[in-house]
Amino acid sequence: MPTTVQVNLGDRSYPIHIGMDIPLAKSVLDRQGNRALVVTDANVEQLHGEALRRKLKDSGLDCVKAVVPAGENSKSLETAQRLYQQAALNGIERSHVVVALGGGMIGDLAGYVAATYQRGIRLLQIPTTLLAMVDSSVGGKTGVNLEQGKNLVGAFHQPVEVDVDLRLLQTLPQREYVSGLAEVIKYGIIWDAEFFALLEQHADAILTRDPALLERIVARCCEIKAEVVAMDEREIGPRAILNFGHTLGHAMEKIDGYGRWLHGEAVSIGMRFSACLSARVKGLPNSDADRIVNLLERVGLPVVFGNERELAWDSVWKVMQTDKKTFRRRPRFVLVEKLGAALTGCDVPDELLAESWHVCCK
Ligand code: GLY
């Protein structure tokens, strides 16, 4: 039996269905106007495009196929414009739906198209990576990149349903799968110490992608994300805890060029850095900081750069100061007092940042 997690946002509430071979688009099909622009990338198209569109068609959804090149470069206004035109040429109307079939890039791009085409039409998320399943497909953040930075243009636009078909994980390359585990571990660190302990206990089975365990883990991550988003949909306050490890992680991605580090890999090093800061300024017991580093390493995530990926502190510091989430031009950090208890908006003295960088990350 699939698991269903509800995101409670009043009239914008929606279900997340999680399981193996789950029915698709249930909420979409309850209503009139069963036509969809199904947006995917060339990689997902090759592996799953045909089969999933057939499944959507069998449930009564008339599908217009829209395939964009794989990779972060497609998350642009130019690609969005091509999708608007494709939607218009194929008679996609306000009562219809955009289906985001892919990882985080596709969810953000197709979500932004759904948020803006004809002033907003319905969005169905079918995430195909672990990272998208536990994070980006839930919560309504959509957007595209500009030359000047990531996600600088976007909108909050909640999906009407998220369908997490865990079978899609079986074809995910190991490096991508492990990268997604960084966000899974993040939920344990910021919100649920028991969940963190469960991840420690089952680290080996997680790496074998055990289906029953995956359903339990993905469902717990979605429950936590749903709870946080229901508290603070537009990230005025507490939703920022989801950015644990991301201040440094985003800076690394920006300096090194997107693609060199997978998002979860950069966040993993960022979480190690934040654990180190938390132990220094928020009293996180050293034993808990060690547990964080050990779990990241056990699942195969990087916690230091290594010599071949040397990064200079000065350049990291400069980029962190231009992050969209700075306050009075100073980077802010999410830190933890203990496992499961996070604090947002933490300012850390410059010398401590530099020292922690040199001690923990190199
Ligand atoms: N990925 C962070 C958020 O959805 O707020």
Side-chain angles (χ1 to χ4, degrees):
M1 271 297 281
T3 308
T4 297
V5 173
Q6 187 70 12
V7 183
N8 292 314
L9 288 167
D11 60 359
R12 281 164 291 103
S13 299
Y14 54 93
I16 307 167
H17 302 298
I18 303 154
M20 308 290 274
D21 197 17
I22 53 171
L24 299 179
K26 271 159 83 180
S27 340
V28 172
L29 297 166
D30 285 346
R31 295 174 39 177
Q32 296 278 307
N34 291 336
R35 183 155 235 233
L37 181 76
V38 184
V39 182
T40 195
D41 72 29
N43 291 344
V44 176
E45 173 60 20
Q46 210 181 8
L47 290 167
H48 305 292
E50 195 63 46
L52 285 167
R53 277 192 305 274
R54 198 173 326 111
K55 209 169 158 185
L56 288 166
K57 270 182 197 150
D58 289 347
S59 344
L61 203 62
D62 178 18
C63 295
V64 176
K65 163 174 151 184
V67 183
V68 305
E72 194 68 17
N73 283 346
S74 285
K75 220 177 107 173
S76 66
L77 285 168
E78 291 74 25
T79 316
Q81 183 174 355
R82 280 201 290 278
L83 293 172
Y84 297 139
Q85 286 167 341
Q86 201 169 347
L89 287 169
N90 286 283
I92 298 288
E93 298 171 355
R94 287 200 78 186
S95 61
H96 294 156
V97 61
V98 170
V99 178
L101 171 62
M105 181 280 281
I106 286 293
D108 287 3
L109 170 70
Y112 184 65
V113 168
T116 46
Y117 180 72
Q118 300 204 1
R119 299 199 181 90
I121 71 173
R122 290 176 298 155
L123 169 67
L124 168 68
Q125 289 273 11
I126 306 180
T128 58
T129 63
L130 181 58
L131 188 127
M133 289 174 184
V134 298
D135 184 24
S136 55
S137 68
V138 177
K141 281 189 181 175
T142 73
V144 295
N145 303 331
L146 297 184
E147 224 177 274
Q148 287 73 13
K150 254 190 113 165
N151 300 324
L152 286 186
V153 176
F156 285 96
H157 186 65
Q158 299 294 342
V160 289
E161 178 178 311
V162 182
D163 292 328
V164 179
D165 186 338
L166 296 168
R167 282 179 323 169
L168 300 174
L169 290 180
Q170 301 308 327
T171 52
L172 194 64
Q174 182 68 1
R175 191 173 163 209
E176 292 263 357
Y177 177 73
V178 169
S179 168
L181 288 175
E183 299 284 356
V184 171
I185 293 170
K186 178 191 80 179
Y187 288 110
I189 301 171
I190 60 165
W191 197 262
D192 184 347
E194 259 178 50
F195 180 60
F196 186 90
L198 178 122
L199 298 174
E200 287 179 313
Q201 202 185 337
H202 296 290
D204 296 334
I206 290 170
L207 287 171
T208 65
R209 311 188 193 189
D210 176 86
L213 185 62
L214 270 178
E215 184 166 331
R216 187 168 167 202
I217 286 172
V218 171
R220 183 63 192 136
C221 294
C222 289
E223 270 171 16
I224 296 171
K225 179 131 193 198
E227 209 172 329
V228 173
V229 168
M231 269 175 6
D232 178 23
E233 184 183 3
R234 289 181 167 249
E235 201 171 308
I236 312 292
R239 181 166 177 166
I241 62 169
L242 298 173
N243 298 326
F244 181 71
H246 285 59
T247 309
L248 176 62
H250 281 154
M252 286 169 50
E253 287 180 283
K254 198 161 177 186
I255 294 167
D256 253 1
Y258 297 100
R260 184 160 181 210
W261 295 101
L262 294 183
H263 178 69
E265 294 169 346
V267 166
S268 174
I269 295 177
M271 291 198 290
R272 203 255 167 111
F273 182 60
S274 299
C276 195
L277 295 176
S278 300
R280 282 171 161 72
V281 298
K282 295 292 173 201
L284 176 74
N286 283 325
S287 54
D288 282 355
D290 289 345
R291 282 175 70 192
I292 292 172
V293 176
N294 288 341
L295 183 55
L296 294 170
E297 284 189 308
R298 258 185 86 194
V299 300
L301 282 161
V303 289
V304 290
F305 302 118
N307 291 336
E308 76 282 9
R309 280 167 153 173
E310 188 78 24
L311 270 185
W313 168 247
D314 285 353
S315 41
V316 173
W317 172 240
K318 237 186 244 150
V319 172
M320 283 201 303
Q321 283 175 308
T322 60
D323 190 272
K324 336 196 242 329
K325 296 188 172 87
T326 51
F327 182 69
R328 301 207 171 114
R329 310 203 76 209
R330 289 194 58 77
R332 299 290 148 154
F333 292 86
V334 180
L335 300 179
V336 281
E337 291 177 303
K338 57 180 184 171
L339 280 174
L343 302 161
T344 58
C346 304
D347 190 7
V348 181
D350 295 5
E351 22 346 310
L352 215 63
L353 290 174
E355 187 211 308
S356 302
W357 166 267
H358 288 105
V359 173
C360 297
C361 295
K362 295 189 86 172

